[in-house]
Amino acid sequence: MGPDQNALLRDLASPTFKVGVRRGRWALLGVKFPIAMFFVAAPVRFGGPTGFLLRSDCSGYPATAPNSQLWHGRDNQPLADAHRPKTRQGDTMIAFKMWAACLYHPIDRLARSHWPGQHQEMCWTADKTIVFLLETVHGILDSTDYAGATLPAAALELPQEFVARNAGTAA
């Protein structure tokens, strides 16, 4: 097991991660390193989902920022724009727009270059943990900008690669 995988597993076992789980903000659905699959809760909105799957590539963790995106579990691919979190105007929220294979936010390893020298408080640094990422995504969803989404139930299913790996284990 490499140092990046060890660091991720250590942070997933941390009290701060577990507090977010107990508060219903997120849940770890599985790890097939370097990929970690999370459920991130969304606030109640009429007709909206309880949350979204977040797929994070944690290679190089924590020295390198995770690369994350909203995910469709059954299809095991990025969530279609039609199902992503929307604003009150009906537009996809900026952080969740279909832009490359990442969150369009300074926290993401791929998108970070779009804000050189800006938003330092939102950027990943090697002293951050996976909790910083999850708090960021949960915070965006928990904002007043979030109006809901039309999400098929299949989108919240665990991808087969994680089902087979977690079969027979206690939750």
Side-chain angles (χ1 to χ4, degrees):
M1 191 177 311
D4 50 357
Q5 185 174 3
N6 279 332
L8 177 64
L9 295 177
R10 177 196 66 227
D11 291 344
L12 291 171
S14 73
T16 54
F17 179 82
K18 291 177 182 179
V19 166
V21 171
R22 279 194 303 274
R23 290 181 176 167
R25 293 180 179 174
W26 54 75
L28 174 66
L29 301 179
V31 176
K32 186 174 179 184
F33 198 79
I35 304 302
M37 187 70 66
F38 300 97
F39 172 82
V40 181
V44 176
R45 299 291 189 261
F46 181 74
T50 57
F52 297 87
L53 293 185
L54 182 71
R55 180 182 186 274
S56 297
D57 179 341
C58 298
S59 54
Y61 178 91
T64 304
N67 165 232
S68 303
Q69 55 186 319
L70 296 182
W71 206 250
H72 189 296
R74 182 187 289 168
D75 294 347
N76 202 19
Q77 65 185 18
L79 189 62
D81 186 60
H83 304 302
R84 290 177 179 245
K86 304 296 182 200
T87 65
R88 295 180 193 280
Q89 293 75 32
D91 301 321
T92 301
M93 294 180 79
I94 292 171
F96 302 119
K97 285 193 179 278
M98 297 289 288
W99 182 88
C102 64
L103 297 174
Y104 190 65
H105 189 280
I107 197 171
D108 195 276
R109 124 177 29 151
L110 295 181
R112 174 65 192 117
S113 63
H114 280 237
W115 301 275
Q118 299 175 341
H119 309 296
Q120 296 303 314
E121 72 284 358
M122 292 187 235
C123 295
W124 185 269
T125 55
D127 63 329
K128 301 284 196 279
T129 71
I130 199 70
V131 172
F132 182 70
L133 169 68
L134 294 168
E135 285 176 340
T136 299
V137 174
H138 182 266
I140 295 167
L141 289 171
D142 201 36
S143 73
T144 56
D145 291 343
Y146 173 65
T150 306
L151 190 69
L156 293 176
E157 292 179 12
L158 197 58
Q160 279 305 117
E161 65 189 274
F162 289 95
V163 172
R165 188 172 186 93
N166 294 330
T169 60

